[in-house]
Amino acid sequence: MRKAYRTIIMAVLTGASLLSLTACGSKTKSSDLTPVKLNEVAHSIFYAPQYAAIELGYFEDEGIDLTLVNGAGADKVMTALISGDADIGFMGSEASIYTYANGSQDYAVNFAQLTQRAGNFLVGRSDQPDFKWTDLKGKKVLGGRAGGMPEMVFEYILKKNGINPATDLTIDQSINFGLTAAAFTSNDADYTVEFEPFATGLEKEGNGFVVASLGVDSGYIPYTAYSAKKSYLEKNPATIQKFTNAIQKGLEYVNSHTSEEIAKVIQPQFKETDVKTIAAIVDRYKAQDTWKKDTVFNKDSFELLENILEEAGQLKDRVPYENLVITEYSEKAAK
């Protein structure tokens, strides 16, 4: 995985453009607002606080004109961030560790954490109310990219349950991020690991059943965070503070409102999904304590992340927390 990020850095330095941007986001535009381009790892109800902040106008209130881009994968988000195609990246913090470890001088620093649980679910072919992780032995599962948080958390759970990911089952990692649900409907796999709304979509179509939550079974994990290049942080501290303030307001909204209320607010971000379905998904995430109360990225969480990377064979030398995480903006936003 570190080799992949080394390739990303080299491509950026040679001027390669690896990402096609599609913008969406802020409802109003004004020359008085500071433009900020945010590249997210995926567009999922898992990130409801962010969309609540957008739809409730919290970014505009803070003086930010936000452009939201779906990067479709942490590696692509980091590419956009390093190249300058994005101001802020939203992804698993493993990407910042890989980039730092590969020698980038203007590396990405994490300044705010959003989720504290994994947001994906294990979907099977049939309903299994008594599912056990050992049921996966000998089975085929559509997994995620090697070195990415979804796959590493999945393997972390397998190992916790005495399952060897390399020998006790087959994990198909050949399908691109976001396309596994579609592939599952015509694939010979027994299970697939899916984010929302794809997990619920498979259930509604009658093509699958959610049998387990990776967020519940992995425990509290620093799953996704916001980062910016060191140079951007140094030049734009006021913008970073305003951005963090808006995300904090989004967190406070989802942690103090019902799933139905949240669904109505964020529905414009998911026009293809009806409000009732969005509410059910939000409720599922609320039930497993997905979202933090504040955006502070604590040291113990970062060290847990490095433990997972080491266990997955993706990290040779540990990276100092103080180099890749800054908490001052989150601490001010939470006051």
Side-chain angles (χ1 to χ4, degrees), residues 29 39 64 146 161 223 235 256 258 269 272 281-282 285 297 311:
K29 305 292 180 182
N39 195 301
I64 290 177
N161 286 273
Y223 205 80
K235 295 175 182 176
S256 62
T258 67
Q269 292 284 325
E272 74 288 353
I281 294 170
V282 169
Y285 280 134
F297 196 150
E311 191 172 315

Side-chain angles (χ1 to χ4, degrees), residues 91-122:
M91 64 196 123
S93 298
E94 79 285 352
S96 65
I97 293 175
Y98 297 147
T99 303
Y100 179 90
N102 280 319
S104 175
Q105 296 302 306
D106 195 8
Y107 50 84
V109 176
N110 301 285
F111 64 86
Q113 182 185 336
L114 187 76
T115 57
Q116 61 184 1
R117 295 270 197 185
N120 40 5
F121 300 87
L122 186 70

Side-chain angles (χ1 to χ4, degrees), residues 115-317:
T115 57
Q116 61 184 1
R117 295 270 197 185
N120 40 5
F121 300 87
L122 186 70
V123 179
R125 296 288 180 185
S126 60
D127 192 14
Q128 294 177 255
D130 299 319
F131 172 82
K132 303 180 297 299
W133 286 97
T134 50
D135 293 340
L136 295 185
K137 288 188 175 182
K139 299 297 194 297
K140 180 179 177 181
V141 181
L142 300 185
R145 174 177 52 83
M149 280 301 287
E151 179 61 23
M152 287 191 297
V153 170
F154 177 48
E155 294 185 12
Y156 175 69
I157 294 171
L158 294 178
K159 292 171 184 175
K160 278 178 60 177
N161 286 273
I163 303 169
N164 187 323
T167 60
D168 288 340
L169 72 164
T170 299
I171 303 176
D172 183 351
Q173 297 177 291
S174 66
I175 300 170
N176 290 338
F177 184 85
L179 300 179
T180 49
F184 186 66
T185 61
S186 58
N187 195 281
D188 62 349
D190 302 291
Y191 298 89
T192 182
V193 178
E194 298 295 336
F195 281 96
E196 294 288 13
F198 301 111
T200 296
L202 285 170
E203 286 190 320
K204 289 184 68 175
E205 295 162 3
N207 291 320
F209 297 83
V210 172
V211 299
S213 163
L214 276 72
V216 170
D217 290 310
S218 62
Y220 290 104
I221 288 176
Y223 205 80
T224 41
Y226 296 94
S227 61
K229 285 197 298 186
K230 189 170 63 167
S231 61
Y232 186 89
L233 287 165
E234 291 169 353
K235 295 175 182 176
N236 303 279
T239 299
I240 293 295
Q241 186 63 67
K242 292 174 181 178
F243 181 93
T244 308
N245 292 346
I247 293 297
Q248 177 65 40
K249 292 176 184 176
L251 277 172
E252 291 169 358
Y253 180 85
V254 299
N255 284 317
S256 62
H257 287 75
T258 67
S259 300
E260 291 74 18
E261 290 170 327
I262 296 165
K264 290 177 182 177
V265 165
I266 69 173
Q267 204 274 334
Q269 292 284 325
F270 302 93
K271 293 184 174 68
E272 74 288 353
T273 307
D274 62 85
V275 172
K276 185 176 180 180
T277 299
I278 294 173
I281 294 170
V282 169
D283 203 49
R284 180 176 277 170
Y285 280 134
K286 284 174 76 72
Q288 67 178 39
D289 197 23
T290 292
W291 301 300
K292 292 184 93 263
K293 301 298 185 290
D294 58 50
T295 65
V296 178
F297 196 150
N298 294 312
K299 187 173 183 178
D300 57 349
S301 293
F302 185 81
E303 291 177 344
L304 172 59
L305 174 61
E306 292 202 299
N307 290 343
I308 293 172
L309 293 178
E310 283 184 332
E311 191 172 315
Q314 298 293 336
L315 182 63
K316 182 179 179 182
D317 300 311

Side-chain angles (χ1 to χ4, degrees), residues 59-75:
F59 286 102
E60 287 94 339
D61 291 346
E62 291 290 336
I64 290 177
D65 174 7
L66 188 73
T67 297
L68 182 63
V69 178
N70 183 355
D75 52 343

